[in-house]
Amino acid sequence: MVGLLESPGLPSSGLGYSISHQKVELDIDLLSRSLKGKTEITVNPHSKDLRSVRLNCRQCQLKRLSVNGKPATSMSYEEPYRNSKLSWRAGVYQYQMLRQRIEGQVREHPEEELIVNLPRNLRIDELDPFSNEALGVILQVKPDSNKRESGGGSILDLAQTTKTTIEPTARFTPIVLYIEFVIEKIRDGMQFVGWEDGDPRYPHAYTQKSLSITTCCLFPCLEDISSRCTWEISIKCPRTLGDAFQIKNVTEIPITNGLANEANGNDSHHTASQHSEGSLGFNDEEKALDLAVLCSGDLTDEIIDPVDPTKRTTSFLCSSAIAPQHIGFAIGPFEHINLAQFRESDEDEKLGQNAVPVHGFCLPGRVQDLKNTCLPIAKAIDFFTLTYGSYPFSSYKICFVDDMILDCADTASLSLCSNRLLFPEDILEPLDQVTRQLVHALACQWIGINIIPKEQADTWAIVGIAYFITDMFMKKLSGNNEYRYRQKKAADRVCELDVARPSLYDTGALILQDPSQLEFIATKAPLVLFILDRRLAKASGSSGLSRIISRIFLNAKVGELATGALATPYFMKTCEKLGHAKLDTFFSQWVFGAGCPRFRVTQRFNKKKLVVEMMIQQYQGDPPIDRDLEKETFIRDVKEEVNGVYAGPLQNVFTGPMTIRIHEADGTPYEHIVEIKEAMTKFDIPYNTKYKRLKRSRRQRERNAVGVGNDFVPEHQDDVLLYCLGDVLQSEDEIREWKLVEWSKEDEDRMSQESYEWIRMDADFEWICRMLITMPGYMYLSQLQQDRDVVAQLESIQFMSIQREHPLVSTILVRTLVDRRYFHGIRTAAAEALVKHAKDEIDWRGLYHLEKAFQEFFCFSDSRMTRSNDFCDRAAYYVQCAIPRAIARVRDNDGKAPFRVRSFLFEKLRYNDNATNEFSDCHYVSILMTALAETLGASHAPSDIDFDMREDTNDSFRFHKACLDEIDRYRRIDEWIPSYHNILTTTALKCRKTLAKAGIIPTAAADYLPYTRDGCLDELRISAFSNLMDLGFFKADPILRWFLFVLGTEPSAYIRQKMLLLLGNTLGAIAIGESSALGQGQISQPDGLIIEQESSTEARQADLARKQTVAGALAALKTELGENLALKEALWEAIESPVLSLRELGELLEICSLLYTPETSMLLVLRYPRYWSCRKTGRGKLTFSRTSKFRTTPIPPRRPLLSAPVPPPQPIKREDGNQSTATAPMRTLLKPPKRPGISSLPPSLAASAAASTVAATATATAAAGSPPSSQAETVKPKLTLKLNLKGAGARPAGT
């Protein structure tokens, strides 16, 4: 990927300063994953009023900070990783509280963590820009010594560099910040491989690059793409591999990541680690391996540490201004290959001393793979140098490492690439793709690192130019047919993707929000530049866009392009100036506008006027229909919905020139340029030829005569000889054997009346569009056979692929397939199109032609037995892979794969022979396995009750079992003889998933779980997890917990990233109802019958809403997973993992936002209260103490004591006989005073008092002066409480 895209975006304007130079010294302890470092940053103020400097700094502990040599008195530093975990016991419902803590660091434009307040007495003076003092600021970094020695640096370069650097930076007195820091455990920004116990790979480490900021995780800097400065970097590390392990020793472990056969994908290579003094996990030769240090910039010196001879300090210098995102390094026992040795001699003579040194580095054992993979790199760098300008650095280095998140991470003069890209000489499949990726990584050194986007929206120009010059080299390397074929396929892909999306310009600002947007930019941007190049070349007759790109590179070198930042207006201006054309309309439509045009073309020949009357109708976009959501893009759709990202406005009409080429009857093409200005364009094209159209019958007679060796004499001298492709299988025997069909007499007569052969729209490929031409099929046939342009041939194949099944169309396609003169892409497209004509209505004619073609090319004569593979002819290899892939798609009217298809694929898989082939057949076998599994899944699973009487009797349990055994046989072979990337095992697991979803074999998680363990190859582990998720095991709590546990604890950043993507796809499948589609709405009966039930209207509406609207999908997702307890616990455990980076943590929190409603609450955990015991100590004292018994149930509320009802007063008879009412004497009750309980204490002491020791003493003393007889009535008990609050109390957990 383009290196600049790893930036977090431009910071807010008005920082008030810039960085001119930074010096970094790192002392890295590889074994403990820690480092000590110091940095010296030269800050150039933009005004006298600068009072603070803001820097990015993460996971660092600052030990010392000084400003101009004086200790800093005021600073603010908020380390984001300390805030990445809540300090109390929380859950998924508190995700928003955690998200708010790290929001400043995970958003698109992160905040600076370190703020250094400048001392008040610090004086900032204004300088004369061209004074000696200002010049000294620039010359404090010496020019590149290598350039001086080679003559690459001149006084003019130095003067120009000095001028362009002084102007923006040396206006005021610079400020020097000195910072010493320590990182005890590197969590982000650097990847360590092979340093853990049991990891059998060669130990190495490197800077991990991603779309988020990572450089500030290793040292303080201003991580901003526009903050570019010169660099001095020194790295101290162990000198050899043995020195790195002198503290921690492990038992002998075989080193396997250096093997070409990917043996580290097997569990048998894992051994238990042990610690023992004096014994390392390597032999003496491996212990002596030097740890090489590769870094951005040029190597200046290597010094053995005088204090510790086991360490070495390597220093590098970047004399070119580079952003912190483009600084990277790698440490490991790398082997070096001089890739310049593959440079051709004539190129050496052209370049002379200007030839750029090219170095390749890889882990031990991968040298041959490195040579094979990087063979074109030297040729590519010479092509770029001669075509577009000098290389911006002094040398180029490419290093291959393990566990890379991206396939390529671009840094200044150094490309860090994944070992996944390496392939040996016997592997053909990844050749084109990997070569393009590596060449693109090289192109990023010119455009992407040396030149950056001025704004995030300008990303399209940087990405587009990088891929454009990459494709220019691929055109030279692979040929024009391959180049145009890929451009046509890319244009079709853009027409599919560019629906309801923002414009190309606006998409650049969305990359950090959703990295998948970069794929769209990388597809459309180079195509837009491609059609711009075509139009400029035609309009001005110049060399097109190549000259413009060369000028931009030159302007960046001489300083005309300010700070090396390219803006879209500047690019437009340069194109108009050098292309001599106005391009406002072009950029407004293709860059600032969205969508792609669709054209419908009608034509008619007017015999009276001798003109071709044409009408071109243009309409934008497909008919408005509700698009179903897809699981792969579900997360992107949700983000766009939440952030308010809307589709760009559709253009009323796309305008521009269109070239129309009419091939008239004499075969001569006549070109006409029409300017498209309106939605409907009508025009007349004059007719030129006087010859009659060459009839098919005459052509047939000519071929027959040539076939028997006779000379054909034309009947009329006016006839023009035409030779075309596809003129094979013409003899009567071949027609009968291949079951071919020729044109009927009526068709021949109708063709003879046509005045032209065919009409070609947009012949110069100046549009990204879809074109529908109302032209008879025989004209498309003429275009297929006679037009030499591979794009025209592909358009003809695409037209025939959408026609109804017909023996004549199948005949045309099979002749295209067997004609070796066609480009291999056209032949494989013809094989795919034959599937449409493999129908029972025409006696399976297309299937017969596919089988016959395969037998003709790859089987013994008159036999279905395949010959031994021979992949020396790459075109034949692609055809051999395409035919089985096409046959696997054949279905009958019931949607089932015929037994004939299954039997064909089974035979080819069983009898495949690769004994005499010098190339590996692993990819070909993988295609056969996948094709066989798809056909089995599309057929009925064998059962005791089979109501389909048409099913072949041979299609039985035995056949299915034989197919399954054959697939499993290749899986077992892969365990003993590993294939490239364990592709056979990966394919076997996918086949089992396909068969399990079809109900042919039982669904068992045990088939996939062994391959999810650490130690298997990365691709194999990801595939195993993907199969489990596709089979619906995400809803199984044990599998769910295991999945999220691996996600939160996996040390490989690559696997974590893939599992995050897999988690998003799985949630998308559940949200749109894809995971529960099987068996939905059906009830299985005991007798094997299935009764289909219709759902209610409300259920159908809800199901439609979840499939087409984001709101409906999210509601369904919350319904299905919102109350899953296992998901809540496992997801929060993953969020609290200390392994995740801030970016990964932010993505998990976004997933929480899809599932749960946030709650701003704090869960307090209180200890259960204990029971108390009371002990009488005598003398009226009671001692209360806590017991070990806890109270787990609440105390029931006390009920008030109800006294007996007082009887009404009875009359008392006096002695005198009179009655009087008197109240009976009441009984005196002695009650103790109310005991102060927990509820009566202050709230702050209530919890403490519940767990403290209370000593209560009740003493009854006689009141002074009271008679003994009334002592019990007058003395009140006295209760004294003694509270011990020190350390005994129930406190909220974590506070």
Side-chain angles (χ1 to χ4, degrees), residues 118-136:
L118 301 180
R120 295 183 178 179
N121 56 358
L122 181 65
R123 183 176 178 180
I124 302 177
D125 297 328
E126 187 172 0
L127 300 177
D128 181 3
F130 298 98
S131 64
N132 294 332
E133 186 176 359
L135 185 62

Side-chain angles (χ1 to χ4, degrees), residues 721-772:
L721 289 176
L722 293 179
Y723 296 95
C724 60
L725 300 173
D727 55 352
V728 295
L729 306 179
Q730 298 290 336
S731 66
E732 295 294 335
D733 294 339
E734 290 175 333
I735 292 176
R736 184 170 52 256
E737 179 183 0
W738 286 74
K739 299 182 181 181
L740 305 180
V741 177
E742 294 291 348
W743 295 95
S744 64
K745 185 65 170 61
E746 292 77 9
D747 293 332
E748 291 280 356
D749 294 340
R750 188 162 55 251
M751 287 187 290
S752 64
Q753 301 301 321
E754 295 290 348
S755 301
Y756 48 85
E757 290 282 344
W758 75 93
I759 297 178
R760 176 85 189 283
M761 303 297 297
D762 189 23
D764 288 342
F765 205 159
E766 302 171 77
W767 292 77
I768 305 173
C769 63
R770 283 183 176 174
M771 191 82 63
L772 177 60

Side-chain angles (χ1 to χ4, degrees), residues 30-33 185-186 191-204 245 248-251 253-255 270-275 281-282 403 1014-1015 1021 1049-1053 1056 1139:
L30 299 171
L31 199 57
S32 63
R33 301 188 180 189
K185 194 71 173 181
I186 299 178
Q191 184 69 35
F192 295 84
V193 182
W195 301 97
E196 294 185 348
D197 296 343
D199 195 338
R201 296 173 292 181
Y202 277 103
H204 58 286
F245 283 89
K248 180 180 178 181
N249 303 322
V250 296
T251 58
I253 299 177
I255 302 301
H270 284 268
T271 57
S273 62
Q274 298 178 357
H275 298 272
F282 316 104
D403 291 347
D1014 185 20
R1021 296 182 66 189
T1049 60
E1050 174 60 41
S1052 171
R1056 294 200 306 268
V1139 177

Side-chain angles (χ1 to χ4, degrees), residues 8-18 46 50 52-56 104 107-113 115 222-227 325 454-456 512:
L10 297 178
S12 58
S13 59
L15 282 177
Y17 59 90
S18 60
H46 293 174
L50 180 64
S52 64
V53 176
R54 306 171 67 94
L55 299 174
N56 297 102
R107 61 188 184 186
E108 296 182 12
H109 307 298
E111 298 176 352
E112 295 81 7
E113 297 82 9
I115 303 176
L222 182 58
E223 191 153 0
D224 165 30
I225 191 65
S226 63
S227 176
Q325 289 88 338
K454 188 173 183 179
E455 301 288 343
Q456 198 70 37
L512 297 174

Side-chain angles (χ1 to χ4, degrees), residues 86 147 191 213 310 397 444 474 548 579 614 708 713 796 834 836 964 1081 1164 1191 1269 1289:
L86 298 179
K147 275 192 174 183
Q191 184 69 35
I213 64 176
T310 63
K397 305 176 287 291
C444 291
M474 295 301 297
I548 297 172
M614 301 193 67
V708 297
V713 180
S796 298
L834 276 169
K836 185 68 177 294
L964 295 176
L1164 296 181
R1191 180 184 296 277
S1269 60

Side-chain angles (χ1 to χ4, degrees), residues 794-811:
L794 184 58
E795 290 175 349
S796 298
I797 295 294
Q798 291 173 345
F799 170 81
M800 296 179 184
S801 64
I802 61 176
Q803 304 304 308
R804 293 191 59 184
E805 59 273 6
H806 196 281
L808 179 59
V809 180
S810 182
T811 298

